Amino acid sequence: MNNRHEHRLKNKKSLFKKWMGKFHLWLGLSTGLIVFIVSITGALYVFKEDIQYALRKDFIYHSEQNIAGKSTLPLRVLEQKINEQNPEKYPLHWVEIPIDKSKSYKFYYYERNPDAWNYFDEYQIYKTVYINPFTGKILSVQDEKNGFFNIVKFIHWSFLLKSDWGKYVVGIPVLIFVFMLISGIILWWPRNKAARKQRFWFQWKNIKNWKRKNYDLHSILGFYASFIALIVAMTGLFYSFFFIQAFFYFIFSGGNTVYPDFSHIKTKDPIEMKSAQTLDKIALQVEQHYPNYSAYTIDLGHPHLDDHEHENFTVYVRGLEDKYYIYSEMIFDENSGKLLMNRPYEKRNFGEKYVAANYDIHVGAILGTFGKILAFISSLICASLPITGFLVWWGRKKKVKPM
């Protein structure tokens, strides 16, 4: 009876794995090309900050001498100097101000057309102006819209379609890919310990058959990459689907379902109090509260193509260079420059901290260079899986049947 029961159990497991194999195959054939493109572009984008820093180092730092005894020009003066030196059809949108004054200020042109259907029409202009804050001299103007990394990013994000719905064109196949990763782990998992040892690494000493080598590349590399790939895929889905965002926030915040809302904190002082120095008053207060942070952004307050009502005048202060998971926020009266709320990073619940860290987790930056290397290798392996998986299917399809 025991033998019969064990035999039935093995048959059920065999049928389950057979069904799982067909499910895995169907998912792979239906999403393979998209997974390949998303994985390759993800790998290309991982070291964007490092490469861009090396290429732009000459104007990221302005090289002004004796800055300790000098004052930076007012923000509105810098804006005016940019408009004189580099006239554009659209107004400047915001400025990123480094706490380290040996670095250039970065002013941004950024206009998004909400009625467009593709990336190149959606973003009418996206440029960064690097300027010496002590002299007002433009050091460089970078066209981010047509830059290599931004195009790679938006292929990865939306296949260069309009962001609002292009993210679903990418997100749905990636969601399917998550199920592929899970089913792949199930298929890889051997029946006993002896077989398991053989599947942890390549056993090619006496193997010459390319089909076997290709199968091992698909299953073994896929197994090792799958755990990191699951993290990368899920943190990517965070940007495509609101329910993923809500799920992560719910889990990491300990069951909270409502994100903190500060829309009730609004500008109350009369518009007559607004002057050319208001933004400088705001900047001074930010730097007094966060002298050890990296940088902060201030909206310049002009109307734009996709203009929407701002709940209040919020300034986000980034704690680390080229990372986003540590940031604080301050709300000001945009007319008088009075500080209305200061909410440092430490006061956030863990769910909020996770939301802020999601991007850094997605690209591996949360673990520094080591994390980026892991994300890069994992992305390359994920890009190879549709190819090796297709070859596994093709090899079985073309198998010569015995006479």
Side-chain angles (χ1 to χ4, degrees):
M1 289 293 292
N2 287 338
N3 290 337
R4 186 179 298 175
H5 177 72
E6 288 178 6
H7 182 69
R8 286 177 180 174
L9 189 61
K10 285 181 180 179
N11 284 340
K12 286 181 179 179
K13 288 182 178 179
S14 179
L15 286 171
F16 173 74
K17 282 213 168 185
K18 186 177 180 180
W19 176 85
M20 184 62 70
K22 289 182 179 180
F23 175 72
H24 185 82
L25 173 63
W26 178 83
L27 293 179
L29 292 174
S30 62
T31 63
L33 179 60
I34 295 175
V35 169
F36 174 80
I37 295 172
V38 171
S39 299
I40 284 292
T41 52
L44 289 172
Y45 196 78
V46 164
F47 290 103
K48 175 249 184 182
E49 301 292 350
D50 307 84
I51 295 170
Q52 201 159 268
Y53 177 82
L55 295 175
R56 299 184 179 186
K57 190 175 181 180
D58 289 344
F59 45 87
I60 287 176
Y61 293 89
H62 50 67
S63 301
E64 184 74 16
Q65 300 298 311
N66 303 315
I67 62 174
K70 297 178 180 179
S71 298
T72 58
L73 294 173
L75 291 173
R76 291 301 184 192
V77 172
L78 290 172
E79 181 184 3
Q80 182 182 353
K81 286 184 175 293
I82 290 173
N83 290 332
E84 291 171 354
Q85 297 174 69
N86 184 68
E88 290 282 357
K89 177 181 177 181
Y90 302 103
L92 288 159
H93 201 138
W94 74 85
V95 56
E96 181 178 302
I97 303 172
I99 302 295
D100 178 1
K101 297 308 174 187
S102 67
K103 291 184 176 181
S104 305
Y105 283 20
K106 293 190 284 186
F107 283 78
Y108 290 87
Y109 293 102
Y110 181 90
E111 295 294 337
R112 178 177 175 268
N113 179 6
D115 299 322
W117 69 271
N118 66 80
Y119 166 76
F120 293 102
D121 290 338
E122 181 179 6
Y123 295 91
Q124 299 289 298
I125 187 172
Y126 183 14
K127 292 183 178 180
T128 307
V129 180
Y130 291 81
I131 188 171
N132 183 329
F134 296 95
T135 66
K137 179 183 177 182
I138 290 180
L139 304 176
S140 180
V141 179
Q142 296 293 313
D143 185 357
E144 310 293 1
K145 171 184 172 179
N146 297 304
F148 172 77
F149 283 111
N150 221 52
I151 290 176
V152 166
K153 173 185 174 180
F154 278 91
I155 294 173
H156 183 78
W157 166 264
S158 63
F159 282 156
L160 297 180
L161 300 171
K162 182 180 179 179
S163 301
D164 292 344
W165 52 271
K167 62 184 180 181
Y168 299 118
V169 176
V170 172
I172 292 171
V174 172
L175 187 60
I176 294 172
F177 181 61
V178 169
F179 289 104
M180 286 182 63
L181 289 170
I182 296 170
S183 62
I185 293 172
I186 294 171
L187 289 170
W188 175 92
W189 203 261
R191 295 180 181 179
N192 53 62
K193 290 183 179 179
R196 198 173 302 156
K197 289 180 180 179
Q198 295 179 356
R199 294 195 185 183
F200 274 114
W201 198 244
F202 303 101
Q203 306 290 332
W204 285 355
K205 187 174 182 180
N206 298 314
I207 300 296
K208 295 181 179 180
N209 189 318
W210 73 268
K211 291 182 182 179
R212 170 60 190 275
K213 291 183 177 181
N214 178 74
Y215 178 81
D216 285 349
L217 284 171
H218 184 77
S219 60
I220 296 173
L221 290 182
F223 172 75
Y224 282 114
S226 59
F227 300 100
I228 298 172
L230 275 171
I231 295 172
V232 172
M234 290 301 295
T235 51
L237 290 172
F238 178 93
Y239 299 106
S240 293
F241 300 106
F242 176 75
F243 77 89
I244 298 289
Q245 298 176 25
F247 173 76
F248 279 146
Y249 180 72
F250 178 82
I251 294 297
F252 288 105
S253 67
N256 289 339
T257 57
V258 179
Y259 204 77
D261 179 22
F262 303 104
S263 60
H264 62 282
I265 303 176
K266 298 180 182 292
T267 290
K268 293 182 179 179
D269 289 333
I271 196 168
E272 288 77 17
M273 295 186 70
K274 193 170 190 177
S275 69
Q277 288 74 45
T278 299
L279 294 183
D280 299 295
K281 290 178 183 178
I282 291 171
L284 179 61
Q285 292 176 79
V286 172
E287 296 187 21
Q288 287 174 341
H289 279 84
Y290 297 101
N292 298 317
Y293 268 46
S294 173
Y296 57 100
T297 57
I298 293 181
D299 191 289
L300 296 170
H302 302 299
H304 301 283
L305 289 178
D306 64 340
D307 217 10
H308 57 279
E309 185 178 349
H310 294 275
E311 295 174 342
N312 46 46
F313 195 90
T314 303
V315 174
Y316 296 97
V317 196
R318 195 171 70 240
L320 300 172
E321 183 72 21
D322 296 328
K323 292 185 180 69
Y324 300 90
Y325 72 94
I326 293 179
Y327 81 92
S328 299
E329 62 184 315
M330 306 175 76
I331 298 177
F332 294 89
D333 186 301
E334 63 179 312
N335 290 333
S336 66
K338 183 191 300 180
L339 178 61
L340 303 178
M341 187 197 78
N342 176 31
R343 192 161 186 259
Y345 171 79
E346 292 76 17
K347 288 188 177 180
R348 299 178 180 279
N349 66 50
F350 197 67
E352 292 176 86
K353 290 179 179 179
Y354 172 79
V355 170
N358 188 80
Y359 173 80
D360 292 317
I361 296 171
H362 184 61
V363 299
I366 196 80
L367 297 178
T369 301
F370 174 72
K372 290 182 179 181
I373 292 172
L374 281 180
F376 176 76
I377 294 173
S378 174
S379 296
L380 287 183
I381 293 174
C382 288
S384 76
L385 294 179
I387 299 171
T388 54
F390 175 81
L391 291 174
V392 169
W393 171 77
W394 185 258
R396 290 174 179 174
K397 185 180 179 183
K398 293 297 181 182
K399 187 183 291 185
V400 179
K401 295 182 180 180
M403 297 294 291

